[in-house]
Amino acid sequence: MVRRWTKYLGQEEAIKLMVWNNSDPSFSLRANSRKGVTRADLVMQLNLLKVPHELSLHLDEFIRVKTGLQNVIQAGLLKEGLCAVQDESAGLVVAVVDPQPGQSIVDCCAAPGGKTLYMASRLSGQGLVYAIDINKGRLRILNETAKLHQVNSVIRTIHADLRTFADNSTVKYDKVLLDAPCSGLGVLSKRADLRWNRRLEDMEELKILQDELLDAASLLVKPGGVLVYSTCSIDPEENEERVEAFLLRHPEFSIDPADGLVPSDFVTKHGFFSSDPVKHSLDGAFAARLVRAF
């Protein structure tokens, strides 16, 4: 990992990244607007619980919490569906999708469902999010959480392998999010186990899977529709390189720059969304917004 980061980032930035990965992670809470909870309401609850926090600079519904997450859990805020634990980087990926009321949206590898729930909350009760996942148990949890968050009316879960589902599907959708299985190299501050469990061979296997899933997801996009490819990785081979390879295979898609959907600080020169743990103090994540020609 260190060799890889040094190669892509240079030694100085690689060291900063490792210091970030080794520091205590901070978490974010998203106020559940579908239950009528505003960020101000959540701030009031956190003050009552004496949990130190700061407002997200990037997203209206989000609050950052460095310590005291146990207090939030014990007070039942999550169990009552008043808020969800969700990193701002995940929220910004949803901003790149830009779900609008009335749209049909597919979340291709949906479980555990954080992005599904947030997209659903932005539909104002109109439209549908189809949550596809290969893991039945995790979809069941997603369904339960959707009820708790009062967004179950706009979520349909589908237990399937995306590749099989896409091959057999005749329906096309407005927007398709593929939050692909990845190395997780952007979330090492929260997933310390990954640094011992990830091998170089995993990267090669993941890249093949990412290509297959992207090809499958593209079949579900209607002409003029949007495909968003995202990861929680900071590795160019899983991110920009996968998109470049996809565009060579699929000339009917082109990059739709993320400008205007997320703060300009997060937009790369190619128009992709990218959060940098060191620069933005968030989990590392990536998203490319691709539009299908008419």
Side-chain angles (χ1 to χ4, degrees):
M1 281 180 192
V2 175
R3 277 199 297 272
R4 205 174 180 93
W5 290 329
T6 308
K7 172 177 137 188
Y8 285 124
L9 305 170
Q11 190 175 0
E12 197 182 331
E13 286 303 308
I15 291 170
K16 284 183 191 167
L17 176 63
M18 289 183 275
V19 169
W20 163 266
N21 288 341
N22 287 342
S23 58
D24 288 338
S26 70
F27 294 89
S28 291
L29 299 173
R30 172 176 67 79
N32 181 12
S33 56
R34 281 312 287 164
K35 273 201 156 172
V37 180
T38 64
R39 178 160 72 174
D41 297 330
L42 197 51
V43 164
M44 205 162 70
Q45 294 277 358
L46 294 175
N47 286 336
L48 287 172
L49 295 170
K50 297 189 168 45
V51 172
H53 57 273
E54 49 189 65
L55 302 183
S56 161
L57 303 172
H58 317 297
L59 293 157
D60 293 342
E61 297 108 319
F62 285 70
I63 297 175
R64 287 190 187 196
V65 176
K66 194 82 180 161
T67 57
L69 192 60
Q70 281 315 91
N71 301 6
V72 174
I73 293 166
Q74 280 158 7
L77 298 189
L78 299 176
K79 210 161 62 195
E80 290 166 29
L82 303 179
C83 64
V85 176
Q86 186 162 42
D87 196 76
E88 289 165 85
S89 62
L92 288 162
V93 168
V94 170
V96 172
V97 178
D98 190 29
Q100 296 293 331
Q103 290 181 334
S104 61
I105 301 170
V106 179
D107 191 350
C108 292
C109 301
K115 295 183 182 76
T116 301
L117 296 167
Y118 186 27
M119 288 194 291
S121 78
R122 289 176 68 152
L123 292 181
S124 309
Q126 299 167 305
L128 275 174
V129 180
Y130 297 88
I132 302 173
D133 204 89
I134 201 162
N135 185 319
K136 204 170 190 173
R138 292 174 88 195
L139 276 183
R140 195 166 58 243
I141 295 166
L142 196 164
N143 265 322
E144 285 161 15
T145 317
K147 287 190 190 109
L148 185 66
H149 281 233
Q150 292 178 359
V151 290
N152 51 311
S153 66
V154 292
I155 292 177
R156 299 287 176 274
T157 52
I158 299 167
H159 176 231
D161 182 313
L162 174 69
R163 293 164 291 190
T164 319
F165 176 81
D167 279 340
N168 299 324
S169 173
T170 52
V171 186
K172 307 287 182 204
Y173 303 85
D174 296 312
K175 287 176 175 160
V176 176
L177 168 63
L178 171 61
D179 189 39
C182 69
S183 63
L185 293 183
V187 294
L188 291 178
S189 76
K190 293 188 175 83
R191 292 283 312 276
D193 56 305
L194 287 176
R195 58 187 90 185
W196 290 284
N197 294 338
R198 278 284 172 249
R199 303 162 311 150
L200 197 56
E201 302 85 72
D202 296 340
M203 293 296 280
E204 296 314 309
E205 285 168 21
L206 280 166
K207 279 153 57 175
I208 293 165
L209 178 60
Q210 287 156 356
D211 287 345
E212 287 177 4
L213 293 173
L214 250 176
D215 287 340
S218 72
L219 297 173
L220 300 172
V221 184
K222 64 161 60 162
V226 169
L227 170 61
V228 174
Y229 171 73
S230 67
T231 71
C232 56
S233 175
I234 50 171
D235 198 286
E237 291 185 26
E238 294 185 274
N239 296 340
E240 292 87 349
E241 287 186 25
R242 298 283 53 76
V243 175
E244 284 162 24
F246 171 79
L247 292 172
L248 287 175
R249 297 194 302 277
H250 296 270
E252 71 276 20
F253 281 87
S254 57
I255 296 166
D256 188 21
D259 306 89
L261 296 170
V262 293
S264 56
D265 199 29
F266 291 96
V267 183
T268 71
K269 64 176 190 289
H270 293 112
F272 302 136
F273 159 77
S274 173
S275 57
D276 176 324
V278 174
K279 183 176 164 190
H280 301 117
S281 302
L282 301 179
D283 285 346
F286 171 87
R289 186 180 160 102
L290 308 169
V291 65
R292 187 179 195 137
F294 281 101

